[in-house]
Amino acid sequence: MSSIWGKKIKLSIFGESHGPAIGINIDGLPPGIELDLEYIKKEMERRAPGKDILATTRKEADEFEIISGYFNNRTTGTPLCIVIKNTNIHSKDYEKIKNIARPGHADYTGKLKYHGYNDYRGGGHFSGRITAPIVFAGAIAKQILKERKILITSHIQGIGNISEESFLGIELDENIVEKLRNKRFPTINDEKARQMEELILKAKSEMDSVGGVIEVGVINPLAGLGSPFFDSVESRLSQMIFSIPGVKGIEFGAGFDITKMKGSESNDEFYYEGSSVKTHTNNNGGILGGITNGMPIIFRVAMKPTSSIARTQRTINMETKENVEINVVGRHDPTIVVRAVPVLEAATALVILDLLMEEYI
Amino acid sequence: MSSIWGKKIKLSIFGESHGPAIGINIDGLPPGIELDLEYIKKEMERRAPGKDILATTRKEADEFEIISGYFNNRTTGTPLCIVIKNTNIHSKDYEKIKNIARPGHADYTGKLKYHGYNDYRGGGHFSGRITAPIVFAGAIAKQILKERKILITSHIQGIGNISEESFLGIELDENIVEKLRNKRFPTINDEKARQMEELILKAKSEMDSVGGVIEVGVINPLAGLGSPFFDSVESRLSQMIFSIPGVKGIEFGAGFDITKMKGSESNDEFYYEGSSVKTHTNNNGGILGGITNGMPIIFRVAMKPTSSIARTQRTINMETKENVEINVVGRHDPTIVVRAVPVLEAATALVILDLLMEEYI
Amino acid sequence: MSSIWGKKIKLSIFGESHGPAIGINIDGLPPGIELDLEYIKKEMERRAPGKDILATTRKEADEFEIISGYFNNRTTGTPLCIVIKNTNIHSKDYEKIKNIARPGHADYTGKLKYHGYNDYRGGGHFSGRITAPIVFAGAIAKQILKERKILITSHIQGIGNISEESFLGIELDENIVEKLRNKRFPTINDEKARQMEELILKAKSEMDSVGGVIEVGVINPLAGLGSPFFDSVESRLSQMIFSIPGVKGIEFGAGFDITKMKGSESNDEFYYEGSSVKTHTNNNGGILGGITNGMPIIFRVAMKPTSSIARTQRTINMETKENVEINVVGRHDPTIVVRAVPVLEAATALVILDLLMEEYI
Amino acid sequence: MSSIWGKKIKLSIFGESHGPAIGINIDGLPPGIELDLEYIKKEMERRAPGKDILATTRKEADEFEIISGYFNNRTTGTPLCIVIKNTNIHSKDYEKIKNIARPGHADYTGKLKYHGYNDYRGGGHFSGRITAPIVFAGAIAKQILKERKILITSHIQGIGNISEESFLGIELDENIVEKLRNKRFPTINDEKARQMEELILKAKSEMDSVGGVIEVGVINPLAGLGSPFFDSVESRLSQMIFSIPGVKGIEFGAGFDITKMKGSESNDEFYYEGSSVKTHTNNNGGILGGITNGMPIIFRVAMKPTSSIARTQRTINMETKENVEINVVGRHDPTIVVRAVPVLEAATALVILDLLMEEYI
C-alpha cells in the first residue's frame, strides 16, 4: 500500500500535484500536544517552492487546514488530518504532453501501473509536492523528539562535484542544528555553499539541473532503538527515505567507504566516558546489529538531478508508440536538493519517533 | 517485529547461532510447487561456512528438514517450515567474553535491547548464521521467478580498493547468471577475482578483515511492479537488504555517482525497440517513481569488514563498567562478502516475488 | 492503529462529530472506475440523520467532496480522499456535561485512553457519525462487487422482542436485494416492519431506546475466499463489523443455535447441482475452515439500544469524582438499528472486496 | 496471511495434522521471563486428546521442544520457536476418502483454495490440532498477565440444550479461576456438568456429536485498553476467536440479549466505589467504544458440533464429480467443546497481552 506508513505513528497521504488538494491523515499521535504552529510553518516554508532563484517559480503558500484530531489547541490522540489546497496550477501545460514520457519521471511507469488512469498533470500523485504533508507530520515529530532532547539536522554535503566535510568529523550539538536550520542553503562551510549555489545557477542558465548529497544526523538518539533483521534501524530509515522522490542511494556511517577499510579500522572501539558508553569512531553511523548504540545516527542520501529540464531529450509517445523528442518547459527547480533538506529531516524524525514509541509508547 | 517480513510471502525466522536450531516459517507460497531440492542445496552451500580458505573453518552442513507445508513433493500453500540443526558449536569460547562488547558487533546493543537476557554465544540471534534460512526461502523464490524468466544475479564488484566494472556497462543475460552462480568467487573479470582473493588472504594473515561491494541485478523484471512513496521498489528492497548483517549502504542505478551528473546526463532517455520500451542508459537502476520500468534492476550494496578480528582492540566490560582490551579468537571469515553473495540474491528474490505476487497473485 | 484498516483496500478515517469535518482516505482502489455517484449518494442518504421520525432530527446533508484520486470521472488508482463538512452542530449542548460520563457511551473510556484530551462533543471521534465515510467507501466496494455479480444485502431481523424470518430460510436473489434497498425500513415481512416501527415509536415516547438484530447476506460470493486461522472470513468480517459503534455480537449461519444441534443436523451436506457444488443446508453461513464455499454468506449482528436517552440515569462526574445523575438531552435516534443497515452492508462489502482482491488483484 | 497474527506479540504457526510436526514461532515476548513449564504442560494437557471418554482416543503427548529464544531458562526476547512432533498418525484412514468432502469440514474449501495440493490427511493444516501451539503461546501470555493480576478463565456454559448461569451473574475472583482450571469438565454448577456429560455420551453412543457455548472472562483487565473503530477490543478478540476451528458466533456482555432490552436497561450505569469506577451492570461486557472500562471482559462463543461423525451423510466426490455417501470412521471427539476451553483461554490471553503491550510495552 503505497500511501500508508508506520507502526505506532501511522501516516496516510493523499493528493495530486494539480488536483483540488493534498494532505495527510496522521494516526497515533500522543494526545495533549500543543502544536508549535510557528515551528511547523517554518518547516513548511523551508520546503515551499517559489521562495528563491534556486527554486521553481511556482508559488504555493502551502497553507494547511487541520480538520480533525485537534481540539482546544491540543492533539486529541485520534487521527489528525490536514488538507492543503492546490492554488497555483497551470494544468494546460501538461495536456499537450500527456502521452509523452518525460525522461527521469514516472510518466511511463505510472501509466503502466494505473493502466493509463493516473492523473498525469505535473506528475500527479508522484509529484514531489506530496512531500509537503510529510514535512508537516515530520515537524510534529521533531517537536515531540525535541522534548526528549533528540534533535534531527542535516546539511547539503555536496552538489555535483563540490562537496564539504561530513558530520562524522565534527561534534554535533544544538547550536549546529539551529544554525543549519536557519540557513537558506544549509552547509557547514559558507564558502562551499557559495560554490554550490554557483554550480546550480550555472546549470539553470544551461537549462539543465544538478543533483547532490544530503547528510542527516540524529543527535542524542536513545540507545536500544530498533531490532535485528527486518526492523533494523537502517531498514526502517531506508524504507522511508527511499519513499522520497529523487533518492537513489543511502549509506550509514562510513557507508561505501567502509568497504575500503580493514576491520581494525572500521570497528568502532567502545569506551566508557563516565558511565556513558561511547565509541572512538562512528563508522557504523550509530547503529550496530540494527539497534542504536547511542552515538549520533549519521547517514547520507544521494539525490538525483531534477528530471524536468528544458533541453531537448529523446523519448517516446506512449499513445502513438513512436520515438519522439521533448523539451520539458515549465517552472522547474534547477536542483531538488535544497528543497529536499527539510523533507529528509521530516522523514527521519518520523522514523525515529515511530521507533521510540514502539519502545516507550 | 524483527523476525517477520513480507506482504504476500511472509517470512518468520528464528534461532540463535549456538542454540539447538535455526529455521524459518514461510507463509503464502503458491501451492503445487515441486521444489528443486538440488538447486536449494546448492544455494545453501554457496553460503555455508567451512568450504574454503577464504571463510571460517566452522563446518556446518546446514541440512534442512522440511516439517510442514510440503506434501507429495509439492508445496501445499500452507506454511512451509524448515529447521536446521546447529551441530558444530564451540560455546565455551563465548563464556569467557560474555561481558566484553566485541567492537563492530551487537553485543552491546543486544544487551541493551534485551536487558541482558539475549543469548550472547556467537552473536546469538544477531548472527549471520540466521541468514541460512533466508537463503533457503530465497532459493524457492528464485525457482518461482525463473519460471517467469526473471533472473537474479550478482557479483563481487569490489574488495577493499580493488574493484571491477559494473553490471550497468554490460548486457545481462542467462549465461552470465549461470556463469556467476558457478564461480566460487563470482566476478565478471577473473584477474580481478585473483587480486581480490589475494587481498582477503593478506588481511587474514594480518589477523584482520576486509569489506567489499556486491552488485545485484534483476534481469527481465516485469515493468509496473512497486508503487510511489512508501512501497517504492527501492523502499522494499532496501528495507530487506539492510536486514542482512553487515550491510551499511545501498545505491540504485548510478547511485551516489548520479549526484555528480547533470539532469541531461542522468535522465534515462526512452525509446521503442519494436514494441518494447527501453532506455538508452540505466542510471535509475530500472526504477522510476518507485516502479519498475522493465530495464534490469541494478543496485550495489556496501558490506563492512568482518567485525571479528583477532587483533587487540579497545572496548568495555559491560559488567564491571571498565575499559578493557579484547582479542576475538575463534573461527572467523576474513571477509563476509563472499558468503553474503547468495544471501543478497535470496533477499532480492524474495522482495521481487513479493512485489510480483501483489500484482499477479 | 484504530483508524487504519485493510490489506489490499486500505481505509484511513478521520474526524469528530463536532469538528470541522470528517472523511476517509481510500488506498488501493482499482484505477479506471467511473464512480456511480447517484448510487453512492443514495447509500449515504440511507444512513443520513434527520430523514425520518424514527431518527434524530439533526439534519446533515453529508455532502462529500472528493479531493484526490479521481480524475476525468474515474478513479486514478492512487489514494481517493473525501471530506464531509460538519454543518449542523450544537456544540454548546456538550459543554455542560463534559465531565459527566454518559452511560453506555465512550466518554469515560475515551477520557482514559486519551488522558482527557479527546474531543468530548457529541462523542468526538467515537461518534457513529464517523461511519458516514465508511458508507462512502462501501458504496464503491458494492459497485465493484456488483460487476462481478456479488451482491450485499441486509434486513432488520429484529427490534426488541419482535423478529422475522432469517435469510437462511429463503432464496436470496437480485430482486430481494433491490427491494430491501429501497425500503425505508428494510424487512422481508411488511407487517413485522409495522410492529417494529411501533415499538421504536413507543420507546421514543417513553424517552427510551431499543436495539435489534440486522442480518446480512452476501449473494454469490466466490468460493475459495479467505484462509484458515487468522485470516478466516469470519475473522475478517467480525473484526470489521465490531468496528461499528453499538455492535455487541455476531453469529454466522445458524450461529448460537448451532450449539443446540447434533452434528448430523449441523453439517451442511454437499451435492452437485450440475457442475456447481451446493449444500442442502447453510448452517455454516457459507464458510468452512475460514473459506467461502460458494453458498451465501449469512450472518447476524446484535446492535445495542441507543445509549443516549433522556431518562434520568445514575453516573459519575469524572472531574469531581462524585456519583451524580444525568439526563442526556439533545437530538437522538430512538434506535440506531435503522441507520446501521447501510453501514453494515458497507462494512461487509469492503471486507469481501478486500478478500477478493487478495486472490484476484 | 493465514498463519501470522499480532502487533506486539507476533505468532507464526505451522504444521499439518499428519505431517512430521506442528509448531509456532513467537516473536515479541519480553526478555527475561522464566517460563513456568509445569503450568504450560498443564495447559497443553487440558487440550490434549485421548485423556477421557469424552474425547478422541488418538493419544498425543504433545511434547514440545523449544528450539530458539530460550537461554538459561529465560526468554531472550528474540523469537521463541517450539516444535511438537506428530507421533500417533493413522494416515491410511484418509487415503481412501481423499476425494470425498467430509460435510462440515474444510476438505472442499481447502481443495479449492490450494488447488488440490493441500495435505488432506486429517484436515491437514485446517486441523484443530494446530491449536496446540496456540495453547502453548497462550500459556506464556497467561503467565505474564497473571503477574499483573489479570486472570483469564472460562466455563462450559452450555452443551446442546443444557446450559448454566453466566459469569455476568457472579463475582469473578481468583478462586473461581483456579477451581475451573482444575475441573476436567469446567462448569460453575456440578449438576449441570453431569447432565452435559450425559448428553455428550448419548451423542457418542448414537455416532453423533454435539456443540456448545463457552463463556470466557477476563478478570481485572486494565481500563483503557483498545481503540475506537478498527482496533476495538471486540474487533481484536473476535478476529482471534474466529481463528479457532469450529467457532460460529461471539457475543460480548449481554450479547444478542441486549437487542431485547431498552436503553434504560442496557446502559451500564457508572458509580465510584472509593476511587474506582465501576458499573452497576455489565451488559457491555467490560468494553465501551472499543475500550476496556475496567469491569471484567465477558464474552460467549458458539462452538459447532464435531463435524466428524460416523453416521452416513450425503456428500460429493470431488474427483468424479458425483454425489456420494460417506461414513467418517476414525477416532473423533463427540464434542470439541471440552478441548476448546483451554484454546479459547489461550487465544484470549494472547489478545489481551498484545493490547497491553501496545500501551505499556
Side-chain angles (χ1 to χ4, degrees), chain B residues 175-226:
Chain B
N175 291 332
I176 287 172
V177 175
E178 212 41 42
K179 205 177 288 178
L180 287 170
R181 183 166 186 260
N182 288 310
K183 285 188 174 181
R184 200 180 48 89
F185 195 95
T187 58
I188 299 169
N189 180 317
D190 287 342
E191 168 57 18
K192 289 288 183 179
R194 209 193 46 73
Q195 292 172 27
M196 293 182 199
E197 291 191 47
E198 204 168 273
L199 200 68
I200 295 168
L201 291 173
K202 182 160 173 290
K204 188 180 180 184
S205 72
E206 293 165 1
M207 297 190 302
D208 215 330
S209 62
V210 286
V213 174
I214 296 170
E215 188 174 52
V216 182
V218 182
I219 308 177
N220 195 30
L222 286 175
L225 300 182

Side-chain angles (χ1 to χ4, degrees), chain B residues 228-285:
Chain B
F229 294 99
F230 309 124
D231 278 320
S232 77
V233 174
E234 293 106 327
S235 289
R236 293 279 279 272
L237 276 167
S238 66
Q239 187 267 334
M240 176 54 126
I241 296 297
F242 277 116
S243 304
I244 310 301
V247 172
K248 296 310 282 189
I250 189 168
E251 56 177 13
F252 292 85
F256 278 87
D257 281 349
I258 210 169
T259 68
K260 295 176 182 162
M261 295 177 180
K262 299 271 174 61
S264 54
E265 298 163 302
S266 64
N267 280 345
D268 299 311
E269 294 178 304
F270 293 103
Y271 67 100
Y272 277 106
E273 190 177 84
S275 63
S276 301
V277 171
K278 303 225 160 165
T279 60
H280 289 286
T281 49
N282 192 10
N283 294 315
N284 284 283

Side-chain angles (χ1 to χ4, degrees), chain C residues 48-83:
Chain C
K51 63 180 190 295
D52 196 301
I53 53 163
L54 297 178
T56 166
T57 56
R58 173 174 173 174
K59 270 201 163 52
E60 282 281 5
D62 280 352
E63 276 173 23
F64 55 84
E65 188 192 358
I66 301 177
I67 61 176
S68 72
Y70 203 57
F71 180 52
N72 291 337
N73 297 316
R74 288 181 184 272
T75 57
T76 57
T78 54
L80 189 155
C81 182
I82 63 157
V83 170

Side-chain angles (χ1 to χ4, degrees), chain A residues 8 78 228 357-361, chain D residues 8 78 228 357-361:
Chain A
K8 294 289 283 190
T78 55
M357 288 181 73
E358 277 184 87
E359 301 291 324
Y360 308 94
I361 307 313
Chain D
K8 294 291 282 190
T78 54
M357 289 181 72
E358 278 184 87
E359 301 290 324
Y360 309 93
I361 308 313

